[in-house]
Amino acid sequence: MDSYSGESAVTPVLEAARFDRDGLIPAVVQDVLDGTVLMVAWMNREALQRTLERGETWFWSRSRQELWHKGATSGHLQKVRDLRYDCDSDVLLVTVEQQGDIACHLGERSCFHRDEFGSYSLPPADTLSQVFRVIEERKAHPSPDSYTSRLLEKGSNAILKKLGEETAEVVMAAKDGERVAEEVADLWYHTLVLLAHANVDILDVYRVLQQRRR
């Protein structure tokens, strides 16, 4: 996947960015695949300029008082795919291709892996990813009251049969011009069940789509 870099992109954002009195601006780092917020760090002008020019994230460490290249020692580099600023020009949003799927120094994909009660919880992502994680949970911890668990337990033939039925229902809905959204939602859900059964992560599907959008 192509990274974001280039001299032409440097000047506008550097001119627009409103650094605080310490010369810093917060940068929210978001995964390009499913929109997960991976981390928040600080940039000074030099860190932002290096990020723009080199296509990988650089930040300013307030504790060490020095620049740091994200992933330089761990190998978990962040390839910049997009960089923008908010309406007040005082916060940056950096969309990245996260190498190794780990952004947190604790080995987690995202630094935001705790909920308000301090319990471990995956951070929010796009709707399909959230539904897929629920399906994975039903697979790991089956419940007799769960349709998903029962379908997964029936195996490939039952899942594929249901997927075929849902595909036909989408075709009929499209021809009739009714309940298209509902039928497509059913098809997508059963496709996610198939992915979970086949041990294929939804992020792998997103990677293929990202490659094909070029």
Side-chain angles (χ1 to χ4, degrees):
M1 287 184 275
D2 294 335
S3 293
Y4 173 90
S5 62
E7 188 67 30
S8 62
V10 173
T11 303
V13 67
L14 282 171
E15 291 181 348
R18 294 176 56 190
F19 298 93
D20 65 16
R21 61 185 179 184
D22 295 319
L24 301 175
I25 188 170
V28 179
V29 182
Q30 180 184 44
D31 196 293
V32 69
L33 294 176
D34 64 356
T36 294
V37 174
L38 300 176
M39 57 180 285
V40 176
W42 294 87
M43 290 184 180
N44 61 5
R45 188 177 183 85
E46 185 177 358
L48 177 55
Q49 185 158 358
R50 289 194 187 191
T51 297
L52 290 165
E53 292 176 342
R54 304 184 186 186
E56 296 177 350
T57 54
W58 284 73
F59 303 106
W60 175 258
S61 171
R62 293 177 298 174
S63 59
R64 300 192 303 272
Q65 289 292 293
E66 63 182 15
L67 287 170
W68 58 287
H69 181 195
K70 174 64 178 176
T73 56
S74 67
H76 299 146
L77 298 168
Q78 294 175 339
K79 304 291 185 179
V80 179
R81 296 291 301 280
D82 186 63
L83 193 152
R84 59 188 65 217
Y85 47 90
D86 74 337
C87 54
D88 292 321
S89 304
D90 57 4
V91 178
L92 300 174
L93 177 63
V94 189
T95 304
V96 303
E97 178 189 348
Q98 176 65 59
Q99 305 299 294
D101 283 335
I102 296 176
C104 178
H105 74 285
L106 297 178
E108 298 290 339
R109 181 174 182 229
S110 168
C111 294
F112 297 94
H113 56 268
R114 298 286 179 184
D115 63 19
E116 65 269 32
F117 304 107
S119 301
Y120 180 84
S121 177
L122 292 175
D126 65 88
T127 300
L128 282 179
S129 296
Q130 292 184 53
V131 172
F132 181 72
R133 299 309 171 196
V134 173
I135 292 171
E136 285 194 315
E137 176 66 19
R138 297 290 188 271
K139 179 182 177 181
H141 305 286
S143 169
D145 298 326
S146 168
Y147 168 79
T148 302
S149 294
R150 295 196 302 272
L151 182 57
L152 285 166
E153 289 175 354
K154 290 177 181 178
S156 297
N157 288 339
I159 295 171
L160 293 174
K161 180 175 181 292
K162 192 63 180 173
L163 196 59
E165 294 172 355
E166 297 299 340
T167 301
E169 290 181 12
V170 168
V171 173
M172 295 304 298
K175 291 185 67 175
D176 296 338
E178 297 179 356
R179 292 183 51 81
V180 176
E182 291 87 342
E183 297 301 344
V184 169
D186 287 343
L187 177 60
W188 286 1
Y189 160 75
H190 286 91
T191 301
L192 295 178
V193 172
L194 175 63
L195 289 177
H197 177 73
N199 296 315
V200 176
D201 196 286
I202 191 172
L203 294 180
D204 292 332
V205 178
Y206 287 172
R207 290 186 181 97
V208 173
L209 291 173
Q210 283 287 335
Q211 292 169 354
R212 291 181 179 177
R213 71 187 286 259
R214 289 183 296 180

